[in-house]
Amino acid sequence: MATPKAKKPSYSTKQFFLDDYPRTLFPLSTNKIIIENGEDKIVQYIDECNSGTRSFLPQYRVYASKDPTHLRRTVKLDPIAEYFIYDIVYKNRSLFKKPHNTDKCHYGYRFKDGIPSLPSEDFSKFKFDVWAESFLKNYFIGFDVSTYFNCLYHHDLEAWLAALGASNDDVKLFSKFLREINSGRSVDCLPHGLYPTKMIGNDFLRFIEESKLLNSEKIHRFMDDIYIFSDNKEQTISDFNTIQRLLGLKGLSINSAKTTTLKPKTEQNEENISEIKKRLLKKRKAMLAKNLYDDYETDEKIDEKTPISEEELEFINTILKSGDLEEDDAELVLTTMRTHTSDVLDSLPGIVSRFPHLAKNIYRFCARVKDKNFVANLVQNQLKNKTLQEYQLFWFGMMVESYLLGTDNAGDLMVELISHPNATDISKAKILEIPELRYGIPEIRQTHLSSGRSDWLSWSSAVGSRSIKPAARNYQLSYFMKSSPMNQLIGDVIKNLT
């Protein structure tokens, strides 16, 4: 008799958070550990926020790297605030509807078959549909919204959720959340880089394609990337102007630098790209779409699913030897060559230096490098650079936590990351939350635990103390817990860990 298949656990707020956690901009173990082990306490705290006896805390400002020179401003949510945004979106997931009209529609960021859809698949379909439509219509305009998330207005988001059909309690609590995490500021209140906030941002703009004021035959939108198509040039221009006025009602405006009448880049329309590179781009897309670009996937599985041919390896090596790697090529190399890391090692220092916004890709690539002392030396040499960005320092810390603790210079790396002149509370927290008992790290944590503060440095120090024997750990935490309700909650969770 066949053994019945194990029943999958039902999806939940916690699972929503855990699935998205490794894909976020600044994934701190502090949030993961507290949410995994203290969900009941977090829910109780949020209930008290709803009743008015508690408040959400103002959140810490962080800056992710957008490109080699520009930064993306957002916030790093504490465990309670982060759980809340996943929870309220998950509870109201059925309100995020599919487009009503396939000719005028948006793509991505909603639940499908009970789980979140894959953005890489949705974006690929969006690009293909735009490319195909550009041959069918005589005129089109592509554009995006300038600094979209940073310009969203608190009360517009509140009104959006109410119009969506959420309960009055959810609308009021969502409004309180947006107001309090942003210290009362009405704009720039929606955090970046989290799947639930992307769901919000994507659905908020659906008023564009659903407007009866627009008469172009086709409108395709992915988040704030928008294309309008028509056989009538005047109609296209008229609708473009109308969309600008509609966005203006929300305090939003078009990014003039990115307004275009050119086809979007896809494998299909890149005639100047070799067939070999097209194949590599397709393999990269397949890896992303199938969620293979995962730190825990074995090399054997990746080789089996997306093997690289000798011809493709030769092509990659030619790019690397050229010495003038473009950003797209660097990202392609880091994604497709992680089972052939030895071919990339000579070029890796240059990639790390030139492309700070690829720090997360570099973290994933280096997980496959067998010589971890090479990686540790690479990071230590990079730390001599006094212009490193917060995003780079954070992901260097992720490297230490994930696979460099056994290297010869692990202690030096931890201390240098904490003391780097550009280190921030968030990049330091990444090191402090590592349960390391060597290198003077426990003494650094003790300094923050006994400071009477309630911030990322003290919270991460509490989480980092989880490997200390319970008697000594709980004594340290007893004083930390007196400083604030957040400290109390975090301390309770850590004290109960076995």
Side-chain angles (χ1 to χ4, degrees), residues 13-23 32 35-36 86:
T13 295
K14 185 193 291 188
Q15 196 59 50
F16 187 18
F17 163 79
L18 292 173
D19 286 351
D20 194 40
Y21 169 80
R23 305 182 182 98
K32 183 173 183 286
I35 290 174
E36 277 188 306
Y86 283 89

Side-chain angles (χ1 to χ4, degrees), residues 273-468:
I273 287 182
S274 70
E275 289 302 318
I276 300 174
K277 186 170 182 180
K278 286 182 181 180
R279 292 204 304 268
L280 286 166
L281 288 169
K282 287 179 180 178
K283 288 182 178 180
R284 171 193 169 277
K285 182 169 71 174
M287 291 176 74
L288 295 173
K290 294 177 182 178
N291 204 25
L292 294 182
Y293 203 45
D294 188 314
D295 305 330
Y296 306 105
E297 187 81 69
T298 66
D299 290 345
E300 290 78 12
K301 287 183 179 180
I302 297 165
D303 274 328
E304 180 184 334
K305 295 173 183 177
T306 55
I308 303 296
S309 69
E310 289 297 323
E311 188 180 30
E312 290 162 349
L313 279 173
E314 185 177 347
F315 176 82
I316 291 288
N317 285 326
T318 300
I319 292 175
L320 293 171
K321 289 175 183 177
S322 70
D324 188 25
L325 211 61
E326 297 293 332
E327 177 185 334
D328 290 347
D329 290 333
E331 199 275 339
L332 179 66
V333 167
L334 292 170
T335 305
T336 59
M337 289 290 285
R338 63 189 184 128
T339 55
H340 300 275
T341 57
S342 59
D343 293 337
V344 184
L345 296 186
D346 288 345
S347 303
L348 196 54
I351 293 175
V352 175
S353 297
R354 289 183 56 201
F355 304 108
H357 57 300
L358 297 182
K360 189 174 183 179
N361 303 66
I362 292 163
Y363 158 79
R364 287 169 165 166
F365 178 86
C366 288
R368 303 298 173 184
V369 176
K370 292 181 179 179
D371 186 354
K372 290 300 189 289
N373 280 314
F374 171 88
V375 178
N377 289 329
L378 169 65
V379 172
Q380 193 163 22
N381 285 330
Q382 292 293 321
L383 289 173
K384 296 174 184 176
N385 181 356
K386 304 308 179 187
T387 64
L388 290 176
Q389 298 174 7
E390 178 180 29
Y391 192 62
Q392 291 171 287
L393 292 169
F394 180 89
W395 284 98
F396 287 158
M398 285 287 292
M399 290 183 184
V400 173
E401 178 185 43
S402 299
Y403 47 76
L404 296 183
L405 287 175
T407 60
D408 298 338
N409 42 355
D412 291 337
L413 286 174
M414 296 182 80
V415 173
E416 288 174 26
L417 281 165
I418 288 175
S419 60
H420 192 279
N422 293 343
T424 66
D425 281 7
I426 296 301
S427 70
K428 292 177 185 178
K430 183 70 254 174
I431 302 301
L432 293 171
E433 68 183 9
I434 299 172
E436 179 56 64
L437 300 179
R438 300 169 294 172
Y439 314 127
I441 301 300
E443 289 73 27
I444 298 174
R445 284 198 293 261
Q446 180 59 32
T447 300
H448 297 299
L449 286 172
S450 60
S451 67
R453 295 167 61 179
S454 180
D455 59 10
W456 277 111
L457 297 178
S458 60
W459 303 333
S460 60
S461 294
V463 171
S465 71
R466 64 192 181 276
S467 60
I468 298 174

